[in-house]
Coordinates of all heavy atoms in Angstrom, one line a residue:
M8 N -2.4 2.5 -19.1 CA -3.0 2.0 -17.8 C -3.1 3.2 -16.9 O -2.2 4.0 -16.7 CB -2.1 1.0 -17.2 CG -2.7 0.4 -15.9 SD -1.7 -1.0 -15.3 CE -0.2 -0.2 -14.7
S9 N -4.3 3.4 -16.3 CA -4.5 4.5 -15.4 C -4.8 4.0 -14.0 O -5.3 3.0 -13.8 CB -5.7 5.3 -15.9 OG -6.9 4.6 -15.8
W10 N -4.3 4.9 -13.1 CA -4.5 4.6 -11.7 C -5.5 5.6 -11.1 O -5.4 6.8 -11.3 CB -3.2 4.7 -10.9 CG -2.2 3.6 -11.2 CD1 -1.4 3.5 -12.3 CD2 -2.0 2.4 -10.5 NE1 -0.7 2.4 -12.2 CE2 -1.0 1.7 -11.1 CE3 -2.5 1.9 -9.3 CZ2 -0.5 0.4 -10.6 CZ3 -2.1 0.7 -8.8 CH2 -1.1 0.0 -9.4
D11 N -6.4 5.0 -10.3 CA -7.3 5.9 -9.6 C -6.8 6.0 -8.1 O -6.4 5.0 -7.6 CB -8.7 5.3 -9.5 CG -9.4 5.5 -10.8 OD1 -9.2 6.5 -11.5 OD2 -10.2 4.6 -11.2
E12 N -6.8 7.2 -7.6 CA -6.2 7.4 -6.3 C -7.3 7.9 -5.3 O -8.0 8.9 -5.7 CB -5.1 8.4 -6.4 CG -4.2 8.5 -5.1 CD -3.0 9.3 -5.3 OE1 -2.0 8.8 -5.8 OE2 -3.0 10.5 -4.9
S13 N -7.5 7.2 -4.2 CA -8.4 7.7 -3.2 C -7.7 7.9 -1.9 O -6.8 7.1 -1.5 CB -9.5 6.6 -3.0 OG -10.2 6.3 -4.2
R14 N -8.1 8.9 -1.2 CA -7.4 9.3 0.1 C -8.4 9.1 1.2 O -9.6 9.6 1.1 CB -6.9 10.7 0.0 CG -5.8 10.9 -1.1 CD -5.6 12.4 -1.3 NE -5.1 13.1 -0.1 CZ -3.8 13.1 0.2 NH1 -2.9 12.5 -0.5 NH2 -3.3 13.7 1.3
Y15 N -8.0 8.4 2.2 CA -8.9 8.2 3.4 C -8.2 8.7 4.6 O -7.0 8.5 4.8 CB -9.2 6.7 3.6 CG -9.9 6.1 2.4 CD1 -9.3 5.6 1.3 CD2 -11.3 6.1 2.4 CE1 -10.0 5.0 0.2 CE2 -12.1 5.5 1.4 CZ -11.4 5.0 0.3 OH -12.1 4.5 -0.7
K16 N -9.0 9.3 5.5 CA -8.5 9.7 6.8 C -8.1 8.4 7.6 O -8.8 7.4 7.6 CB -9.6 10.5 7.6 CG -9.1 11.0 8.9 CD -10.3 11.9 9.5 CE -9.9 12.4 10.8 NZ -11.0 13.2 11.4
A17 N -7.0 8.5 8.3 CA -6.5 7.3 9.1 C -6.1 7.9 10.5 O -5.4 8.9 10.6 CB -5.3 6.7 8.4
T18 N -6.6 7.2 11.5 CA -6.4 7.7 12.8 C -5.8 6.5 13.7 O -6.3 5.4 13.6 CB -7.7 8.2 13.5 OG1 -8.3 9.2 12.6 CG2 -7.5 8.8 14.8
C19 N -4.8 6.8 14.5 CA -4.3 5.8 15.4 C -5.3 5.6 16.5 O -5.7 6.5 17.2 CB -2.9 6.3 16.0 SG -2.3 5.2 17.2
G20 N -5.6 4.3 16.7 CA -6.6 4.0 17.8 C -6.0 4.1 19.2 O -6.7 4.2 20.2
A21 N -4.7 4.2 19.3 CA -4.1 4.3 20.6 C -3.8 5.7 21.1 O -4.1 6.1 22.2 CB -2.7 3.6 20.6
C22 N -3.3 6.6 20.2 CA -3.0 8.0 20.6 C -3.7 9.0 19.9 O -3.6 10.2 20.2 CB -1.5 8.2 20.5 SG -0.9 8.4 18.8
G23 N -4.5 8.7 18.8 CA -5.3 9.7 18.1 C -4.5 10.4 17.0 O -5.1 11.3 16.4
H24 N -3.3 10.0 16.8 CA -2.5 10.6 15.7 C -3.2 10.4 14.4 O -3.7 9.4 14.1 CB -1.1 10.0 15.6 CG -0.3 10.5 14.5 ND1 0.2 11.8 14.4 CD2 0.1 9.9 13.3 CE1 0.9 11.9 13.3 NE2 0.8 10.8 12.6
E25 N -3.3 11.5 13.5 CA -4.0 11.4 12.3 C -3.0 11.4 11.1 O -2.0 12.1 11.1 CB -5.0 12.6 12.1 CG -6.1 12.5 13.1 CD -7.2 13.6 12.9 OE1 -6.9 14.5 12.0 OE2 -8.2 13.5 13.5
G26 N -3.4 10.6 10.1 CA -2.6 10.6 8.9 C -3.6 10.3 7.7 O -4.8 10.4 7.8
V27 N -3.0 9.9 6.6 CA -3.8 9.6 5.4 C -3.4 8.3 4.8 O -2.2 8.0 4.6 CB -3.6 10.8 4.4 CG1 -4.4 10.5 3.1 CG2 -4.0 12.1 4.9
Q28 N -4.4 7.5 4.4 CA -4.2 6.3 3.6 C -4.5 6.7 2.2 O -5.5 7.2 1.9 CB -5.1 5.2 4.0 CG -4.9 3.9 3.1 CD -6.1 3.0 3.2 OE1 -7.2 3.3 3.3 NE2 -5.8 1.7 3.2
V29 N -3.5 6.5 1.3 CA -3.7 6.7 -0.1 C -3.8 5.4 -0.8 O -2.8 4.7 -0.9 CB -2.5 7.6 -0.7 CG1 -2.8 7.9 -2.2 CG2 -2.3 8.9 0.1
R30 N -4.9 5.1 -1.3 CA -5.2 3.8 -2.0 C -5.2 4.0 -3.5 O -6.0 4.8 -3.9 CB -6.4 3.1 -1.5 CG -6.9 2.0 -2.4 CD -7.7 0.9 -1.6 NE -6.8 0.2 -0.7 CZ -7.2 -0.8 0.0 NH1 -8.4 -1.3 -0.1 NH2 -6.3 -1.4 0.8
R31 N -4.4 3.3 -4.2 CA -4.4 3.4 -5.6 C -4.9 2.1 -6.2 O -4.6 1.0 -5.7 CB -3.0 3.7 -6.2 CG -2.4 5.0 -5.7 CD -1.2 5.4 -6.5 NE -0.3 4.2 -6.8 CZ 0.5 4.1 -7.8 NH1 0.5 5.1 -8.7 NH2 1.2 3.1 -8.0
S32 N -5.7 2.2 -7.2 CA -6.2 1.0 -7.9 C -6.2 1.2 -9.4 O -6.3 2.4 -9.9 CB -7.6 0.5 -7.5 OG -8.5 1.5 -7.7
N33 N -6.0 0.2 -10.2 CA -5.9 0.3 -11.6 C -7.0 -0.5 -12.4 O -7.8 -1.2 -11.7 CB -4.5 0.0 -12.2 CG -4.1 -1.4 -12.0 OD1 -5.0 -2.3 -11.9 ND2 -2.9 -1.7 -12.1
D34 N -7.0 -0.4 -13.7 CA -8.0 -1.1 -14.5 C -7.9 -2.6 -14.3 O -8.9 -3.3 -14.7 CB -7.8 -0.7 -16.0 CG -7.9 0.8 -16.2 OD1 -8.6 1.5 -15.4 OD2 -7.4 1.3 -17.2
Y35 N -6.8 -3.1 -13.9 CA -6.7 -4.6 -13.7 C -7.0 -5.1 -12.3 O -6.8 -6.3 -12.0 CB -5.2 -5.0 -14.1 CG -4.9 -4.6 -15.5 CD1 -4.2 -3.5 -15.8 CD2 -5.3 -5.4 -16.6 CE1 -3.8 -3.1 -17.1 CE2 -5.0 -5.1 -17.9 CZ -4.3 -3.9 -18.1 OH -4.0 -3.6 -19.4
G36 N -7.6 -4.2 -11.5 CA -8.0 -4.7 -10.2 C -6.8 -4.8 -9.2 O -7.0 -5.3 -8.1
E37 N -5.7 -4.3 -9.6 CA -4.5 -4.2 -8.7 C -4.7 -3.0 -7.8 O -5.2 -2.0 -8.2 CB -3.2 -4.2 -9.4 CG -3.0 -5.4 -10.3 CD -1.8 -5.3 -11.3 OE1 -1.5 -4.1 -11.6 OE2 -1.3 -6.3 -11.7
S38 N -4.2 -3.1 -6.6 CA -4.2 -1.9 -5.7 C -3.0 -1.9 -4.8 O -2.4 -3.0 -4.5 CB -5.5 -1.9 -4.9 OG -5.5 -2.9 -4.0
D39 N -2.6 -0.8 -4.4 CA -1.6 -0.7 -3.3 C -1.9 0.6 -2.5 O -2.7 1.4 -2.8 CB -0.2 -0.6 -3.9 CG 0.1 0.6 -4.8 OD1 -0.4 1.7 -4.4 OD2 0.8 0.5 -5.8
D40 N -1.3 0.6 -1.3 CA -1.6 1.6 -0.3 C -0.3 2.4 0.0 O 0.8 1.8 0.0 CB -2.1 1.0 1.0 CG -3.5 0.4 0.8 OD1 -4.2 0.8 -0.1 OD2 -3.8 -0.5 1.6
R41 N -0.4 3.6 0.1 CA 0.7 4.4 0.7 C 0.1 5.1 1.9 O -1.1 5.3 2.1 CB 1.1 5.5 -0.3 CG 2.0 4.9 -1.4 CD 2.7 6.1 -2.3 NE 1.7 6.9 -2.9 CZ 1.4 8.2 -2.6 NH1 2.1 8.8 -1.7 NH2 0.5 8.9 -3.3
W42 N 1.0 5.5 2.8 CA 0.6 6.1 4.0 C 1.3 7.4 4.2 O 2.5 7.5 4.1 CB 0.8 5.1 5.2 CG 0.1 3.9 5.1 CD1 0.5 2.8 4.4 CD2 -1.2 3.6 5.6 NE1 -0.5 1.8 4.4 CE2 -1.6 2.3 5.2 CE3 -2.1 4.3 6.4 CZ2 -2.8 1.7 5.5 CZ3 -3.3 3.7 6.7 CH2 -3.6 2.4 6.3
E43 N 0.5 8.4 4.6 CA 1.1 9.7 4.9 C 0.9 10.0 6.4 O -0.2 9.9 6.9 CB 0.5 10.8 4.1 CG 0.8 10.6 2.6 CD 0.0 11.7 1.8 OE1 -0.6 12.6 2.3 OE2 0.2 11.6 0.5
G44 N 2.0 10.2 7.2 CA 1.8 10.5 8.6 C 2.1 9.2 9.4 O 2.1 9.3 10.7
F45 N 2.3 8.1 8.8 CA 2.6 6.8 9.5 C 3.8 6.2 8.9 O 4.0 6.2 7.7 CB 1.4 5.9 9.5 CG 0.2 6.3 10.3 CD1 -0.9 6.8 9.6 CD2 0.2 6.3 11.6 CE1 -2.0 7.3 10.3 CE2 -0.9 6.8 12.3 CZ -2.1 7.2 11.7
E46 N 4.6 5.5 9.7 CA 5.6 4.6 9.2 C 4.9 3.4 8.7 O 3.8 3.0 9.0 CB 6.6 4.3 10.4 CG 7.3 5.5 11.0 CD 8.2 6.1 10.0 OE1 8.9 5.4 9.2 OE2 8.3 7.4 10.0
T47 N 5.7 2.6 7.9 CA 5.2 1.3 7.5 C 6.2 0.2 7.8 O 7.4 0.5 7.8 CB 4.8 1.2 6.0 OG1 6.0 1.6 5.2 CG2 3.7 2.1 5.7
V48 N 5.7 -1.0 8.1 CA 6.6 -2.1 8.4 C 6.2 -3.2 7.5 O 5.0 -3.3 7.0 CB 6.6 -2.5 9.8 CG1 7.1 -1.4 10.7 CG2 5.2 -2.9 10.2
P49 N 7.1 -4.2 7.1 CA 6.8 -5.3 6.3 C 5.6 -6.1 7.0 O 5.6 -6.3 8.2 CB 8.0 -6.2 6.3 CG 9.1 -5.2 6.5 CD 8.5 -4.1 7.5
A50 N 4.7 -6.6 6.1 CA 3.5 -7.2 6.7 C 3.7 -8.6 7.2 O 2.9 -9.1 8.0 CB 2.4 -7.2 5.6
N51 N 4.8 -9.2 6.9 CA 5.0 -10.6 7.2 C 4.7 -10.9 8.7 O 4.0 -11.9 9.0 CB 6.4 -11.1 6.9 CG 6.7 -11.0 5.4 OD1 5.7 -10.9 4.6 ND2 7.9 -11.1 5.0
E52 N 5.2 -10.1 9.6 CA 5.1 -10.4 11.0 C 3.6 -10.2 11.5 O 3.3 -10.6 12.5 CB 6.1 -9.6 11.8 CG 5.9 -8.1 11.6 CD 7.1 -7.4 12.3 OE1 7.2 -7.5 13.5 OE2 7.8 -6.7 11.6
Y53 N 2.8 -9.6 10.6 CA 1.5 -9.4 11.0 C 0.5 -10.2 10.2 O -0.7 -10.1 10.4 CB 1.1 -7.9 10.8 CG 1.8 -7.0 11.7 CD1 2.8 -6.1 11.3 CD2 1.6 -7.0 13.1 CE1 3.5 -5.3 12.1 CE2 2.2 -6.1 14.0 CZ 3.2 -5.3 13.5 OH 3.9 -4.4 14.3
E54 N 1.0 -11.0 9.3 CA 0.1 -11.8 8.4 C -0.9 -12.7 9.2 O -2.1 -12.8 8.9 CB 0.8 -12.6 7.4 CG 1.3 -11.8 6.2 CD 2.0 -12.6 5.2 OE1 2.3 -13.8 5.5 OE2 2.2 -12.1 4.1
Y55 N -0.4 -13.3 10.3 CA -1.2 -14.2 11.1 C -2.4 -13.4 11.7 O -3.4 -13.9 12.0 CB -0.4 -14.9 12.2 CG -0.1 -13.9 13.3 CD1 -0.8 -13.9 14.5 CD2 1.0 -13.1 13.2 CE1 -0.5 -13.1 15.5 CE2 1.3 -12.2 14.3 CZ 0.5 -12.2 15.4 OH 0.8 -11.4 16.4
Y56 N -2.1 -12.1 11.9 CA -3.1 -11.3 12.6 C -4.1 -10.7 11.6 O -5.3 -10.6 11.9 CB -2.3 -10.2 13.3 CG -3.1 -9.1 13.9 CD1 -3.9 -9.3 14.9 CD2 -3.0 -7.8 13.3 CE1 -4.7 -8.2 15.5 CE2 -3.7 -6.7 13.9 CZ -4.5 -6.9 14.9 OH -5.2 -5.9 15.5
R57 N -3.6 -10.3 10.4 CA -4.5 -9.7 9.5 C -5.2 -10.7 8.5 O -6.1 -10.4 7.9 CB -3.7 -8.7 8.6 CG -3.2 -7.5 9.5 CD -3.0 -6.3 8.6 NE -3.3 -5.1 9.4 CZ -3.8 -4.0 8.8 NH1 -4.0 -3.9 7.5 NH2 -4.0 -2.9 9.6
K58 N -4.5 -11.8 8.3 CA -5.1 -12.9 7.5 C -5.2 -12.4 6.0 O -6.1 -12.8 5.3 CB -6.4 -13.4 8.0 CG -6.3 -14.2 9.3 CD -7.6 -14.8 9.7 CE -7.4 -15.8 10.8 NZ -6.7 -15.4 12.0
R59 N -4.4 -11.5 5.6 CA -4.4 -11.1 4.2 C -3.0 -10.6 3.9 O -2.2 -10.3 4.8 CB -5.4 -10.1 3.9 CG -5.2 -8.7 4.6 CD -6.5 -7.9 4.4 NE -6.3 -6.6 5.0 CZ -6.0 -5.5 4.4 NH1 -5.9 -5.5 3.1 NH2 -5.9 -4.3 5.0
S60 N -2.7 -10.6 2.6 CA -1.3 -10.3 2.2 C -1.3 -8.9 1.7 O -1.8 -8.6 0.7 CB -0.9 -11.3 1.1 OG 0.4 -11.0 0.7
V61 N -0.7 -8.0 2.4 CA -0.4 -6.7 2.0 C 1.1 -6.5 2.1 O 1.8 -7.1 3.0 CB -1.2 -5.6 2.7 CG1 -2.6 -5.7 2.4 CG2 -0.9 -5.7 4.2
A62 N 1.7 -5.6 1.3 CA 3.1 -5.5 1.3 C 3.6 -4.8 2.6 O 4.6 -5.3 3.2 CB 3.6 -4.6 0.1
H63 N 2.9 -3.8 3.0 CA 3.3 -3.1 4.2 C 2.1 -2.8 5.1 O 1.0 -2.6 4.5 CB 4.1 -1.8 3.9 CG 5.4 -2.1 3.3 ND1 5.5 -2.3 1.9 CD2 6.6 -2.1 3.8 CE1 6.8 -2.5 1.7 NE2 7.5 -2.4 2.8
V64 N 2.3 -2.7 6.3 CA 1.2 -2.2 7.2 C 1.7 -1.0 7.9 O 2.9 -0.8 8.2 CB 0.8 -3.3 8.2 CG1 0.2 -4.5 7.5 CG2 2.0 -3.7 9.1
P65 N 0.7 -0.1 8.2 CA 1.1 1.2 8.9 C 1.4 0.9 10.4 O 0.7 0.1 11.0 CB -0.1 2.0 8.7 CG -1.2 1.1 8.6 CD -0.7 -0.1 8.0
V66 N 2.3 1.7 10.9 CA 2.5 1.7 12.4 C 2.7 3.1 12.8 O 3.4 3.9 12.2 CB 3.6 0.7 12.8 CG1 4.9 1.2 12.1 CG2 3.8 0.7 14.3
C67 N 2.1 3.5 13.9 CA 2.2 4.9 14.4 C 3.5 5.1 15.1 O 4.2 4.1 15.5 CB 1.0 5.1 15.4 SG 1.0 6.8 16.0
H68 N 3.9 6.3 15.3 CA 5.1 6.6 16.0 C 5.0 6.2 17.5 O 6.0 6.1 18.2 CB 5.5 8.1 15.9 CG 4.4 9.1 16.3 ND1 4.1 9.2 17.6 CD2 3.6 9.9 15.6 CE1 3.1 10.1 17.7 NE2 2.8 10.5 16.5
C69 N 3.8 6.0 18.0 CA 3.6 5.5 19.3 C 3.8 4.0 19.4 O 3.5 3.4 20.5 CB 2.3 6.0 19.9 SG 0.9 5.0 19.3
K70 N 4.1 3.3 18.3 CA 4.3 1.9 18.1 C 3.1 1.1 18.0 O 3.1 -0.1 17.9 CB 5.2 1.3 19.3 CG 6.5 2.0 19.6 CD 7.4 2.0 18.4 CE 8.7 2.6 18.8 NZ 9.5 2.8 17.5
S71 N 1.9 1.7 18.0 CA 0.7 1.0 17.8 C 0.4 0.8 16.3 O 0.8 1.6 15.5 CB -0.5 1.8 18.3 OG -1.7 1.2 18.0
N72 N -0.1 -0.4 16.0 CA -0.5 -0.7 14.6 C -2.0 -0.7 14.5 O -2.6 -1.3 13.6 CB 0.1 -1.9 14.0 CG -0.3 -3.2 14.7 OD1 -0.8 -3.1 15.9 ND2 -0.3 -4.3 14.0
D73 N -2.7 -0.2 15.5 CA -4.2 -0.1 15.5 C -4.6 1.1 14.8 O -5.0 2.1 15.4 CB -4.7 -0.1 16.9 CG -6.2 0.0 17.0 OD1 -6.9 -0.4 16.0 OD2 -6.7 0.4 18.1
I74 N -4.5 1.1 13.4 CA -4.8 2.3 12.6 C -6.3 2.1 12.1 O -6.6 1.1 11.4 CB -3.9 2.4 11.4 CG1 -2.4 2.4 11.9 CG2 -4.1 3.7 10.7 CD1 -2.0 3.4 13.0
V75 N -7.1 3.1 12.4 CA -8.5 3.0 12.0 C -8.7 3.9 10.7 O -8.4 5.1 10.7 CB -9.4 3.6 13.1 CG1 -10.9 3.5 12.7 CG2 -9.2 2.8 14.4
I76 N -9.2 3.3 9.7 CA -9.5 4.0 8.4 C -10.8 4.7 8.5 O -11.8 4.0 8.8 CB -9.4 3.0 7.2 CG1 -8.1 2.2 7.2 CG2 -9.5 3.8 5.9 CD1 -6.9 3.0 7.3
G77 N -10.8 5.9 8.2 CA -12.0 6.7 8.3 C -12.6 7.1 6.9 O -12.5 6.4 6.0
A78 N -13.2 8.3 6.9 CA -13.9 8.7 5.7 C -13.0 9.1 4.5 O -11.9 9.5 4.7 CB -14.8 9.9 6.1
L79 N -13.6 8.9 3.4 CA -12.9 9.4 2.2 C -12.7 10.9 2.2 O -13.6 11.6 2.6 CB -13.8 9.0 1.0 CG -13.3 9.4 -0.4 CD1 -12.1 8.6 -0.8 CD2 -14.4 9.2 -1.5
I80 N -11.5 11.3 1.9 CA -11.2 12.7 1.9 C -11.4 13.3 0.5 O -10.9 12.7 -0.5 CB -9.7 13.0 2.3 CG1 -9.5 12.5 3.7 CG2 -9.4 14.5 2.1 CD1 -8.0 12.5 4.1
E81 N -12.3 14.3 0.3 CA -12.6 14.8 -1.0 C -11.4 15.6 -1.5 O -10.8 16.3 -0.7 CB -13.8 15.7 -0.9 CG -15.1 15.0 -0.4 CD -15.5 13.9 -1.4 OE1 -15.1 14.0 -2.6 OE2 -16.2 13.0 -1.1
Ligands
ZN111 ZN1 -0.4 6.4 17.9

C-alpha cells in the first residue's frame, strides 16, 4: 500500500501565522492530515461547526482555529 503526500500552505486567518498542511491519501481512498506549525485539538468539539468527521483540527498558537488552506507546495 502506498501513500501519496501533498503539502499545502496553511495560514491563520486571525494573526497570519503560516504553517503546512500535510495531506496523505492511499490507494483505498483513505486520507489523513498532519499539521506543521499548528497545534491540533480533537475534532469532537468542533464537529457541529465543521459538519464532517476528522480526527483532529488545527488551532493556532493565538487560539484561532480559522486556518485557511492555500496553494499546493511543490
Ligand atoms: Zn493565529
Side-chain angles (χ1 to χ4, degrees):
M8 184 171 70
S9 64
W10 288 83
D11 288 326
E12 191 172 280
S13 301
R14 297 167 63 85
Y15 296 88
K16 184 176 178 181
T18 305
C19 175
C22 75
H24 175 73
E25 292 187 353
V27 178
Q28 178 197 37
V29 183
R30 165 151 293 188
R31 300 194 315 153
S32 60
N33 66 19
D34 300 337
Y35 299 99
E37 299 169 335
S38 65
D39 63 38
D40 294 333
R41 284 189 299 113
W42 298 87
E43 296 175 2
F45 293 104
E46 300 293 322
T47 56
V48 295
N51 293 348
E52 58 190 296
Y53 293 111
E54 276 182 349
Y55 76 97
Y56 170 67
R57 295 207 146 210
K58 293 186 167 53
R59 64 194 182 100
S60 178
V61 291
H63 291 85
V64 294
V66 60
C67 184
H68 57 70
C69 75
K70 306 300 184 192
S71 172
N72 67 334
D73 178 21
I74 309 301
V75 181
I76 308 305
L79 181 68
I80 299 170
E81 298 295 339

